[in-house]
Structure formats: structure tokens, C-alpha cells
Amino acid sequence: MTSLPAVLPADSHVHSEFSWDTGGPGSAARGTMRATCERAVRIGLPGLFFTEHLDLEDSWFTDPEDFADHERHLVGEDGVVAVPRFDVEGYLEEIDRAAAPPSRSC
């Protein structure tokens, strides 16, 4: 019988709303960085590594079937994928918000 580790390992591959494959900060994925951090604290995870997709090429050819439903809007009729630019300022602001202690006021 295998026993569980006394301490959970860090999660070293997490995408937030800033990774284009999640739909972006304006999508239903909004708030996933903060929610992920809150859940990690709740379950005792010692650390998280956000590994956002940051493609230096802003477009390439693909087959639409290679993309999940929530990503297909990025594929044009010509098969060119056009991903949004990475929002560095927004990303860093969200990291600061997610790392801040929870507010005790409503």
C-alpha cells in the first residue's frame, strides 16, 4: 500500500487568465490566477508556478481541429491563428493582487 506524502508538492504548471489558451483576461477565465492562489492556500500547496503561453510569433497556420472550442475564435477562415499580445502590466498587477493577503473588510 502506498502512503500519501506528508506535504503536497508545488504545482509547477498552472495557466491563468493571461495565457491565450484560457480565453484571456476578458473571458470566463477572468480571476483564475487569484482563485488558483486562494485554493492553493486552502489545500496547503507550498507553491505555484504560473506558466503562461507567451508566443513571440503573433500568428501561424493551423488546422482548426487542433484547437479546443474556447480557442477556435483565434483561428481565421484562412487557418491563421492570431493570438492577443501578452498584457505584461495587467499580469504583474494581478500577481500583486493574488499575492496580497485577503482583505478583512467587505
Side-chain angles (χ1 to χ4, degrees):
M1 181 171 163
T2 305
S3 61
L4 296 174
V7 177
L8 292 170
D11 189 338
S12 62
H13 192 123
V14 180
H15 296 282
S16 78
E17 67 266 29
F18 289 89
S19 193
W20 63 258
D21 63 333
T22 64
S27 74
R30 183 180 186 145
T32 56
M33 181 184 287
R34 181 176 291 186
T36 300
C37 291
E38 289 170 355
R39 178 156 167 66
V41 169
R42 219 171 30 254
I43 66 173
L45 215 61
L48 292 172
F49 298 81
F50 286 98
T51 56
E52 316 298 1
H53 285 278
L54 175 59
D55 294 286
L56 299 178
E57 293 182 46
D58 61 357
S59 64
W60 62 88
F61 287 99
T62 192
D63 191 349
E65 289 79 33
D66 291 339
F67 279 66
D69 290 342
H70 70 279
E71 300 167 331
R72 287 204 183 112
H73 71 280
L74 299 170
V75 183
E77 290 182 20
D78 56 359
V80 174
V81 178
V83 297
R85 288 196 174 269
F86 190 79
D87 179 6
V88 175
E89 287 182 25
Y91 182 74
L92 295 175
E93 288 171 4
E94 190 60 23
I95 286 175
D96 288 343
R97 279 192 292 273
S103 173
R104 298 289 181 214
S105 61
C106 295

